[in-house]
Amino acid sequence: GEDVEQSLFLSVREGDSSVINCTYTDSSSTYLYWYKQEPGAGLQLLTYIFSNMDMKQDQRLTVLLNKKDKHLSLRIADTQTGDSAIYFCAESFSGGYQKVTFGIGTKLQVIP
Amino acid sequence: SAVISQKPSRDICQRGTSLTIQCQVDSQVTMMFWYRQQPGQSLTLIATANQGSEATYESGFVIDKFPISRPNLTFSTLTVSNMSPEDSSIYLCSVAGGVTDTQYFGPGTRLTVL
């Protein structure tokens, strides 16, 4: 069955790098996502990676995928206080056309 | 990406009543979905809203409790019927297709049932 797991909490100092980790169980997943949810707000799609890729970089964000271990990570360089939010790892089989399965979310706290 | 709005943004309701949540997109999209996010929890898919046909519900969710409409390619509604405090959640719609093949989410409707 589908399952996405991630740690609940991460605390980093402003200016440091943050690394949020995620594992998933469905080997047929083709899209792997990172969404951001700020307090009282909806979900913002940060980035996504196809399962045939190892890495994707987008400005301060780097996504690494280890398909063999079904491990996904999100690195945020030079973390800012505005990055404080809950980050959801998610996966789907066929992009947006089917159900997206979410992890429980990692709350990132950035200490000034 | 598509611009998605939801109404209402939040509401406080009495148990036993029903609330209809609207989701509007600024472009035509193939797929619309409704998710629930219970307090401190992740998102769970309630149903897929199909244009011109009945919604497809996930296990644990039924049409009598969560009737859905999808009259056209830019609009959908979710009704939470006969509410109880356990229905207190954030309800989010998402869309895919048209200009995007990934799912983008609306701002959510925060529902509190007393």
Side-chain angles (χ1 to χ4, degrees), chain B residues 12-43:
Chain B
I12 301 173
C13 301
Q14 296 297 319
R15 70 167 68 215
T17 62
S18 297
L19 176 72
T20 295
I21 302 167
Q22 298 179 2
C23 179
Q24 180 76 54
V25 194
D26 69 340
S27 59
Q28 293 187 343
V29 292
T30 308
M31 310 293 290
M32 295 183 81
F33 304 86
W34 287 98
Y35 288 80
R36 180 175 74 182
Q37 185 181 20
Q38 294 178 297
Q41 301 296 315
S42 185
L43 281 78

Short mmCIF file of all heavy atoms in Angstrom, two decimals, chain B residues 12-43:
data_model
loop_
_atom_site.label_atom_id
_atom_site.label_comp_id
_atom_site.label_asym_id
_atom_site.label_seq_id
_atom_site.Cartn_x
_atom_site.Cartn_y
_atom_site.Cartn_z
N ILE B 12 -17.93 28.65 11.33
CA ILE B 12 -18.24 27.94 12.57
C ILE B 12 -19.70 27.52 12.48
O ILE B 12 -20.58 28.37 12.25
CB ILE B 12 -18.01 28.84 13.81
CG1 ILE B 12 -16.55 29.30 13.86
CG2 ILE B 12 -18.39 28.10 15.09
CD1 ILE B 12 -16.26 30.32 14.95
N CYS B 13 -19.97 26.24 12.61
CA CYS B 13 -21.31 25.71 12.37
C CYS B 13 -21.78 24.89 13.57
O CYS B 13 -20.97 24.40 14.36
CB CYS B 13 -21.31 24.83 11.13
SG CYS B 13 -20.80 25.67 9.62
N GLN B 14 -23.09 24.77 13.66
CA GLN B 14 -23.69 23.95 14.71
C GLN B 14 -23.81 22.51 14.24
O GLN B 14 -24.05 22.25 13.04
CB GLN B 14 -25.06 24.51 15.07
CG GLN B 14 -25.03 25.91 15.66
CD GLN B 14 -24.26 25.97 16.98
OE1 GLN B 14 -24.39 25.09 17.83
NE2 GLN B 14 -23.46 27.02 17.14
N ARG B 15 -23.69 21.59 15.15
CA ARG B 15 -23.85 20.18 14.78
C ARG B 15 -25.23 19.95 14.19
O ARG B 15 -26.21 20.59 14.57
CB ARG B 15 -23.60 19.27 15.97
CG ARG B 15 -24.66 19.30 17.06
CD ARG B 15 -24.47 18.13 18.02
NE ARG B 15 -23.25 18.28 18.80
CZ ARG B 15 -22.49 17.24 19.17
NH1 ARG B 15 -22.81 16.01 18.80
NH2 ARG B 15 -21.41 17.42 19.89
N GLY B 16 -25.30 19.03 13.24
CA GLY B 16 -26.57 18.70 12.60
C GLY B 16 -26.86 19.52 11.35
O GLY B 16 -27.75 19.16 10.58
N THR B 17 -26.12 20.60 11.16
CA THR B 17 -26.36 21.43 9.98
C THR B 17 -25.42 20.99 8.85
O THR B 17 -24.60 20.09 9.02
CB THR B 17 -26.12 22.92 10.29
OG1 THR B 17 -24.74 23.11 10.67
CG2 THR B 17 -27.03 23.38 11.42
N SER B 18 -25.57 21.62 7.69
CA SER B 18 -24.75 21.30 6.52
C SER B 18 -24.08 22.57 6.01
O SER B 18 -24.62 23.67 6.16
CB SER B 18 -25.60 20.68 5.41
OG SER B 18 -26.17 19.45 5.83
N LEU B 19 -22.93 22.41 5.41
CA LEU B 19 -22.19 23.54 4.83
C LEU B 19 -21.72 23.17 3.44
O LEU B 19 -21.18 22.08 3.23
CB LEU B 19 -20.97 23.89 5.70
CG LEU B 19 -20.08 25.00 5.14
CD1 LEU B 19 -20.78 26.35 5.26
CD2 LEU B 19 -18.73 25.04 5.85
N THR B 20 -21.92 24.07 2.50
CA THR B 20 -21.44 23.86 1.13
C THR B 20 -20.24 24.75 0.87
O THR B 20 -20.30 25.97 1.08
CB THR B 20 -22.54 24.14 0.10
OG1 THR B 20 -23.60 23.18 0.29
CG2 THR B 20 -22.00 24.00 -1.31
N ILE B 21 -19.16 24.14 0.43
CA ILE B 21 -17.91 24.84 0.15
C ILE B 21 -17.75 24.93 -1.36
O ILE B 21 -17.95 23.93 -2.07
CB ILE B 21 -16.72 24.08 0.76
CG1 ILE B 21 -16.91 23.93 2.27
CG2 ILE B 21 -15.41 24.80 0.45
CD1 ILE B 21 -15.96 22.94 2.91
N GLN B 22 -17.37 26.10 -1.83
CA GLN B 22 -17.21 26.30 -3.27
C GLN B 22 -15.74 26.38 -3.63
O GLN B 22 -14.93 26.93 -2.89
CB GLN B 22 -17.89 27.60 -3.70
CG GLN B 22 -19.38 27.64 -3.45
CD GLN B 22 -19.99 28.96 -3.88
OE1 GLN B 22 -19.31 29.85 -4.40
NE2 GLN B 22 -21.28 29.10 -3.66
N CYS B 23 -15.41 25.87 -4.81
CA CYS B 23 -14.05 25.95 -5.34
C CYS B 23 -14.13 26.46 -6.77
O CYS B 23 -14.84 25.87 -7.61
CB CYS B 23 -13.39 24.57 -5.30
SG CYS B 23 -11.72 24.53 -5.97
N GLN B 24 -13.45 27.56 -7.03
CA GLN B 24 -13.47 28.19 -8.35
C GLN B 24 -12.04 28.30 -8.89
O GLN B 24 -11.14 28.72 -8.17
CB GLN B 24 -14.08 29.61 -8.24
CG GLN B 24 -14.14 30.37 -9.55
CD GLN B 24 -15.26 29.89 -10.44
OE1 GLN B 24 -16.42 29.83 -10.03
NE2 GLN B 24 -14.93 29.55 -11.68
N VAL B 25 -11.86 27.93 -10.15
CA VAL B 25 -10.54 28.01 -10.80
C VAL B 25 -10.61 29.01 -11.93
O VAL B 25 -11.67 29.15 -12.58
CB VAL B 25 -10.13 26.63 -11.38
CG1 VAL B 25 -8.65 26.63 -11.72
CG2 VAL B 25 -10.47 25.52 -10.42
N ASP B 26 -9.49 29.66 -12.21
CA ASP B 26 -9.50 30.72 -13.23
C ASP B 26 -9.27 30.18 -14.63
O ASP B 26 -9.20 30.95 -15.59
CB ASP B 26 -8.45 31.79 -12.89
CG ASP B 26 -7.02 31.28 -13.04
OD1 ASP B 26 -6.82 30.06 -13.03
OD2 ASP B 26 -6.11 32.12 -13.14
N SER B 27 -9.14 28.87 -14.78
CA SER B 27 -8.97 28.28 -16.10
C SER B 27 -9.61 26.90 -16.09
O SER B 27 -9.85 26.32 -15.03
CB SER B 27 -7.49 28.19 -16.47
OG SER B 27 -6.80 27.41 -15.51
N GLN B 28 -9.88 26.37 -17.26
CA GLN B 28 -10.50 25.05 -17.33
C GLN B 28 -9.48 23.98 -16.94
O GLN B 28 -8.34 24.00 -17.42
CB GLN B 28 -11.02 24.80 -18.75
CG GLN B 28 -12.18 25.69 -19.12
CD GLN B 28 -12.79 25.32 -20.47
OE1 GLN B 28 -12.18 24.62 -21.25
NE2 GLN B 28 -14.01 25.78 -20.71
N VAL B 29 -9.90 23.08 -16.09
CA VAL B 29 -9.04 22.01 -15.63
C VAL B 29 -9.76 20.68 -15.79
O VAL B 29 -10.99 20.61 -15.70
CB VAL B 29 -8.60 22.19 -14.16
CG1 VAL B 29 -7.68 23.38 -14.01
CG2 VAL B 29 -9.81 22.32 -13.23
N THR B 30 -8.99 19.65 -16.01
CA THR B 30 -9.58 18.34 -16.22
C THR B 30 -10.07 17.75 -14.91
O THR B 30 -11.18 17.23 -14.80
CB THR B 30 -8.54 17.39 -16.85
OG1 THR B 30 -7.99 18.02 -18.00
CG2 THR B 30 -9.17 16.07 -17.22
N MET B 31 -9.21 17.82 -13.89
CA MET B 31 -9.47 17.11 -12.64
C MET B 31 -9.63 18.12 -11.50
O MET B 31 -8.89 19.09 -11.40
CB MET B 31 -8.33 16.17 -12.29
CG MET B 31 -7.90 15.24 -13.41
SD MET B 31 -9.15 14.03 -13.83
CE MET B 31 -9.11 13.00 -12.36
N MET B 32 -10.60 17.84 -10.64
CA MET B 32 -10.74 18.58 -9.38
C MET B 32 -10.89 17.55 -8.28
O MET B 32 -11.56 16.52 -8.44
CB MET B 32 -11.93 19.52 -9.41
CG MET B 32 -11.78 20.65 -10.44
SD MET B 32 -13.14 21.83 -10.43
CE MET B 32 -12.69 22.87 -9.05
N PHE B 33 -10.24 17.84 -7.14
CA PHE B 33 -10.22 16.91 -6.02
C PHE B 33 -10.60 17.66 -4.74
O PHE B 33 -10.36 18.86 -4.60
CB PHE B 33 -8.81 16.34 -5.82
CG PHE B 33 -8.22 15.66 -7.03
CD1 PHE B 33 -7.55 16.39 -7.99
CD2 PHE B 33 -8.32 14.28 -7.18
CE1 PHE B 33 -7.00 15.77 -9.10
CE2 PHE B 33 -7.77 13.66 -8.29
CZ PHE B 33 -7.11 14.40 -9.25
N TRP B 34 -11.13 16.90 -3.80
CA TRP B 34 -11.42 17.45 -2.46
C TRP B 34 -10.66 16.63 -1.41
O TRP B 34 -10.75 15.39 -1.39
CB TRP B 34 -12.91 17.42 -2.16
CG TRP B 34 -13.68 18.45 -2.93
CD1 TRP B 34 -14.38 18.28 -4.09
CD2 TRP B 34 -13.81 19.84 -2.58
NE1 TRP B 34 -14.94 19.47 -4.49
CE2 TRP B 34 -14.62 20.44 -3.59
CE3 TRP B 34 -13.35 20.63 -1.52
CZ2 TRP B 34 -14.96 21.80 -3.56
CZ3 TRP B 34 -13.68 21.97 -1.51
CH2 TRP B 34 -14.48 22.54 -2.52
N TYR B 35 -9.92 17.36 -0.55
CA TYR B 35 -9.15 16.74 0.51
C TYR B 35 -9.62 17.27 1.86
O TYR B 35 -10.14 18.39 1.96
CB TYR B 35 -7.65 17.09 0.37
CG TYR B 35 -6.92 16.41 -0.76
CD1 TYR B 35 -7.03 16.89 -2.07
CD2 TYR B 35 -6.10 15.31 -0.52
CE1 TYR B 35 -6.34 16.28 -3.11
CE2 TYR B 35 -5.39 14.70 -1.56
CZ TYR B 35 -5.52 15.20 -2.84
OH TYR B 35 -4.82 14.60 -3.88
N ARG B 36 -9.35 16.50 2.89
CA ARG B 36 -9.61 16.92 4.26
C ARG B 36 -8.30 16.87 5.04
O ARG B 36 -7.52 15.93 4.90
CB ARG B 36 -10.64 15.99 4.92
CG ARG B 36 -10.97 16.35 6.35
CD ARG B 36 -12.07 15.47 6.90
NE ARG B 36 -11.61 14.12 7.18
CZ ARG B 36 -12.40 13.15 7.63
NH1 ARG B 36 -13.69 13.41 7.82
NH2 ARG B 36 -11.93 11.96 7.88
N GLN B 37 -8.08 17.89 5.85
CA GLN B 37 -6.91 17.92 6.73
C GLN B 37 -7.41 18.13 8.15
O GLN B 37 -7.75 19.24 8.55
CB GLN B 37 -5.94 19.04 6.34
CG GLN B 37 -4.65 19.03 7.14
CD GLN B 37 -3.71 20.15 6.77
OE1 GLN B 37 -4.11 21.15 6.18
NE2 GLN B 37 -2.43 20.00 7.08
N GLN B 38 -7.47 17.04 8.90
CA GLN B 38 -7.91 17.14 10.29
C GLN B 38 -6.81 17.77 11.13
O GLN B 38 -5.63 17.74 10.74
CB GLN B 38 -8.31 15.76 10.81
CG GLN B 38 -9.55 15.24 10.09
CD GLN B 38 -9.96 13.86 10.53
OE1 GLN B 38 -9.22 12.90 10.35
NE2 GLN B 38 -11.16 13.75 11.09
N PRO B 39 -7.16 18.34 12.28
CA PRO B 39 -6.17 19.07 13.09
C PRO B 39 -4.91 18.26 13.36
O PRO B 39 -4.98 17.13 13.85
CB PRO B 39 -6.95 19.37 14.37
CG PRO B 39 -8.38 19.41 13.95
CD PRO B 39 -8.50 18.38 12.88
N GLY B 40 -3.77 18.83 13.01
CA GLY B 40 -2.49 18.18 13.25
C GLY B 40 -2.21 16.99 12.38
O GLY B 40 -1.25 16.26 12.64
N GLN B 41 -3.01 16.78 11.36
CA GLN B 41 -2.86 15.60 10.52
C GLN B 41 -2.46 15.97 9.09
O GLN B 41 -2.41 17.15 8.73
CB GLN B 41 -4.18 14.82 10.47
CG GLN B 41 -4.67 14.35 11.84
CD GLN B 41 -3.71 13.36 12.47
OE1 GLN B 41 -3.24 12.43 11.81
NE2 GLN B 41 -3.40 13.57 13.74
N SER B 42 -2.22 14.95 8.31
CA SER B 42 -1.91 15.16 6.91
C SER B 42 -3.20 15.29 6.10
O SER B 42 -4.29 15.32 6.66
CB SER B 42 -1.08 13.98 6.40
OG SER B 42 -0.67 14.22 5.09
N LEU B 43 -3.07 15.37 4.82
CA LEU B 43 -4.23 15.50 3.94
C LEU B 43 -4.72 14.12 3.52
O LEU B 43 -3.92 13.24 3.19
CB LEU B 43 -3.87 16.28 2.68
CG LEU B 43 -3.81 17.79 2.81
CD1 LEU B 43 -2.52 18.21 3.47
CD2 LEU B 43 -3.96 18.44 1.45
#
